């Protein structure tokens, strides 16, 4: 079945497809709300309650991030092999709820490490199948806005989680463990959404073409397009500018943000992200996804420079808001770019390879950010991030020019 035929049939069932996309996006909202009820206050819990230093925080974030990306590698492949994303999503969601209870029980760095490990394990299990199911449900010209919708609700969940955590912190006399325990509720609710709103497209679905009906084969690892591998290399460079937002929090604290306001940093970033992600996805479908990613990286460099030289809470706030704009312009756009390059029967595998590779790089990025912050000051990670983003921009510019010259740009080809 041709792409045009797939799109034509998909149009005849828009409500069903839209409902499932909203279901996946609502799950992302609940997952992220649960996580940010923990992560928006976890840096303060680590340093103020447990006495951790920034080097330890950097290593903890790096190991946790690598765990998530490493598990994406296996979960995506398994979802391709068994042709079902639902069971894997359910497993990851159940572990997400369990991890929040472990945070509530943690009494030392080791306990937090174990909870963080399991939480990122759960994210890794569900992330690649969630990315793949959105590509399964949406046609290529609509993927930018499909991923943008999920990203908007995910960011809105982060805003709600951060606001709830900050409010509870103020009204419970800094009872971190109570907040961590309450974070299990939205994660559990996402299971209800999964089983009532989301279905894996069947082989006879209007959204499934011939390449999707092909069985998984391990040779898929060796048949990915060249442009996929080039994009993967650029993503690994970009990871050195994608260290944990915890370092934004520490920088803001040095600038003068008070303890009670620090959780709102996550809220600000994700509120801007939520507002901008869906419009950015629509615009990316129109002007080209790589162009949008390049513009987003320019915004990232601007944000980093403002954060480096900020000397007032207000100027730091501008940099924080720009981080949200950059995330809206690049996160869903780059996922949509990758999904355009992947054969449909191996989308989970493609996202898994990205997860494994960038997970290793992100571990190094967080460890480096922690070492730089510990040794030179909280501004130092943003200097490294600016340099990495600059190199990534040059790479994406060369890639975009090459694709235009060769006529091998998926989004451009569709529009033409």
């Amino acid at each position: 079945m041709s792409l045009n035929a797939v799109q034509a049939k998909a149009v005849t069932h828009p409500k069903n497809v839209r409902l499932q996309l909203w279901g996946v996006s609502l799950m992302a909202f609940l997952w992220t709300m649960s996580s940010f009820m923990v992560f928006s206050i976890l840096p303060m819990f680590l340093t103020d309650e447990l006495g951790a230093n920034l080097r330890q925080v950097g290593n903890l974030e790096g190991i946790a991030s690598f765990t998530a990306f490493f598990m994406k590698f296996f979960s995506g492949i398994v979802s391709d092999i068994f042709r079902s994303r639902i069971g894997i999503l359910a497993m990851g969601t159940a572990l997400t709820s369990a991890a929040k209870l472990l945070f509530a029980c943690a009494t030392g760095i080791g306990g937090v490490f174990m909870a963080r490990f399991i939480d990122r394990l759960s994210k890794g299990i569900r992330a690649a199948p969630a990315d793949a199911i959105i590509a399964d449900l949406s046609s290529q010209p609509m993927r930018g806005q499909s991923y943008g919708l999920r990203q908007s609700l995910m960011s809105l969940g982060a805003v709600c989680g951060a606001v709830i955590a900050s409010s509870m912190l103020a009204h419970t006399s800094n009872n971190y463990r109570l907040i961590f325990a309450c974070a299990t509720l939205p994660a559990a609710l996402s299971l209800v959404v999964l089983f009532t709103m989301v279905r894996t497209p069947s082989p006879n679905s209007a959204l499934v073409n011939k390449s999707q009906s092909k069985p998984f084969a391990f040779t898929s690892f060796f048949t990915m397009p060249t442009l996929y591998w080039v994009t993967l290399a650029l993503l690994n460079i970009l990871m050195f500018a994608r260290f944990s937002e915890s370092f934004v929090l520490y920088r803001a604290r040095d600038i003068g943000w008070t303890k009670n306001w620090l959780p709102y940093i996550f809220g600000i970033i994700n509120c801007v992200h939520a507002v901008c992600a869906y419009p950015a996805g629509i615009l990316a479908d129109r002007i080209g996804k790589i162009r949008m990613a390049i513009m987003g990286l320019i915004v990232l460099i601007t944000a980093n420079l403002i954060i480096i030289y900020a000397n007032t809470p207000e100027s730091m706030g501008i940099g924080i808001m720009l981080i949200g704009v950059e995330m809206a312009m690049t996160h869903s756009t780059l996922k949509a770019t990758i999904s355009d390059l992947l054969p449909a029967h191996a989308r989970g595998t493609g996202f898994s390879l990205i997860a494994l590779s960038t997970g290793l790089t992100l571990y190094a990025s967080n460890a480096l950010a922690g070492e730089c912050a510990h040794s030179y000051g909280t501004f130092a990670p943003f200097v490294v991030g600016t340099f990495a983003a600059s190199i990534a921009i040059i790479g994406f510019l060369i890639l975009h020019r090459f694709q235009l010259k060769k006529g091998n740009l998926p989004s451009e080809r569709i529009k033409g």
Side-chain angles (χ1 to χ4, degrees):
M1 185 182 293
S2 68
L3 178 60
N4 289 335
V6 171
Q7 292 169 2
K9 286 191 176 183
V11 172
T12 63
H13 303 286
K15 291 183 180 179
N16 180 50
V17 173
R18 193 178 301 119
L19 178 64
Q20 294 198 61
L21 286 171
W22 272 97
V24 177
S25 300
L26 182 56
M27 288 176 62
F29 169 83
L30 294 167
W31 288 335
T32 313
M33 178 191 293
S34 173
S35 293
F36 272 79
M37 287 178 68
V38 174
F39 300 147
S40 62
I41 58 175
L42 185 62
M44 291 179 291
F45 179 69
L46 285 168
T47 55
D48 297 348
E49 293 262 329
L50 302 182
N53 60 46
L54 295 185
R55 181 183 288 126
Q56 290 174 314
V57 172
N59 284 321
L60 174 64
E61 291 293 333
I63 293 171
S65 297
F66 170 71
T67 301
F69 280 80
F70 185 73
M71 284 310 301
K72 286 182 188 179
F73 176 70
F74 294 104
S75 64
I77 294 173
V78 170
S79 72
D80 279 341
I81 293 174
F82 293 101
R83 307 294 306 173
S84 177
R85 323 284 189 196
I86 304 300
I88 299 171
L89 288 172
M91 182 189 304
T93 302
L95 281 176
T96 296
S97 295
K100 302 307 184 294
L101 292 177
L102 290 177
F103 278 113
C105 298
T107 58
I109 299 293
V112 172
F113 175 85
M114 180 59 65
R116 191 80 164 96
F117 176 84
I118 293 176
D119 185 83
R120 295 300 87 184
L121 183 72
S122 69
K123 180 179 179 181
I125 289 173
R126 56 181 162 77
D131 286 337
I133 202 170
I134 290 178
D136 292 344
L137 290 168
S138 53
S139 58
Q140 189 169 333
M142 303 288 287
R143 282 192 191 129
Q145 58 185 286
S146 296
Y147 281 102
L149 173 64
R150 196 271 299 267
Q151 202 69 45
S152 286
L153 287 184
M154 184 184 299
S155 299
L156 184 59
V159 174
C160 293
V163 170
I164 291 170
S166 182
S167 178
M168 291 186 69
L169 201 65
H171 290 89
T172 62
S173 300
N174 298 334
N175 192 336
Y176 292 98
R177 290 181 174 83
L178 175 61
I179 301 170
F180 296 159
C182 290
T184 61
L185 298 177
L189 183 58
S190 66
L191 274 175
V192 177
V193 175
L194 173 64
F195 291 123
T196 57
M197 295 181 66
V198 183
R199 298 286 183 274
T200 300
S202 67
N204 297 321
S205 168
L207 290 172
V208 178
N209 60 24
K210 289 181 179 179
S211 65
Q212 280 177 290
S213 64
K214 292 167 61 177
F216 171 84
F218 284 99
T219 54
S220 299
F221 286 99
F222 309 104
T223 58
M224 298 295 182
T226 302
L227 291 178
Y228 167 84
W229 296 109
V230 174
T231 305
L232 175 59
L234 292 175
L235 287 175
N236 276 280
I237 295 172
L238 180 57
M239 286 302 105
F240 282 96
R242 287 278 173 82
F243 45 80
S244 170
E245 286 87 0
S246 295
F247 293 100
V248 179
L249 185 149
Y250 291 128
R251 178 62 177 161
R253 186 176 62 179
D254 284 356
I255 297 298
W257 284 57
T258 61
K259 180 178 180 179
N260 287 340
W261 280 94
L262 289 176
Y264 286 106
I265 289 175
F266 293 92
I268 293 170
I269 291 174
N270 287 283
C271 185
V272 175
H273 191 175
V275 170
C276 297
Y278 187 57
I282 294 174
L283 183 59
D285 285 333
R286 293 179 180 176
I287 69 172
K289 300 178 182 70
I290 294 181
R291 288 194 188 104
M292 177 61 75
I294 291 170
M295 291 190 293
L297 294 180
I298 293 172
V299 173
L300 174 60
I301 291 174
T302 304
N304 282 348
L305 291 175
I306 291 174
I307 291 172
I308 290 168
Y309 293 104
N311 53 18
T312 65
E314 292 77 14
S315 58
M316 182 70 191
I318 295 173
I320 290 170
M321 286 189 288
L322 286 178
I323 289 176
V325 175
E326 175 271 327
M327 292 170 67
M329 297 175 71
T330 60
H331 280 205
S332 57
T333 300
L334 290 173
K335 285 184 178 179
T337 300
I338 292 295
S339 70
D340 287 349
L341 298 172
L342 290 170
H345 66 283
R347 286 191 182 114
T349 303
F351 281 114
S352 294
L353 289 170
I354 289 174
L356 179 63
S357 177
T358 55
L360 286 167
T361 309
L362 194 58
Y363 167 74
S365 171
N366 277 289
L368 178 61
E371 185 62 39
C372 289
H374 182 80
S375 301
Y376 301 104
T378 53
F379 73 93
F382 301 94
V383 176
V384 176
T386 299
F387 181 70
S390 300
I391 296 175
I393 284 176
I394 294 171
F396 278 116
L397 283 170
I398 294 172
L399 175 63
H400 187 258
R401 186 176 183 86
F402 173 80
Q403 289 178 314
L404 287 176
K405 183 177 180 180
K406 297 295 184 179
N408 196 22
L409 192 64
S411 59
E412 299 293 337
R413 211 169 46 238
I414 291 171
K415 290 188 298 179

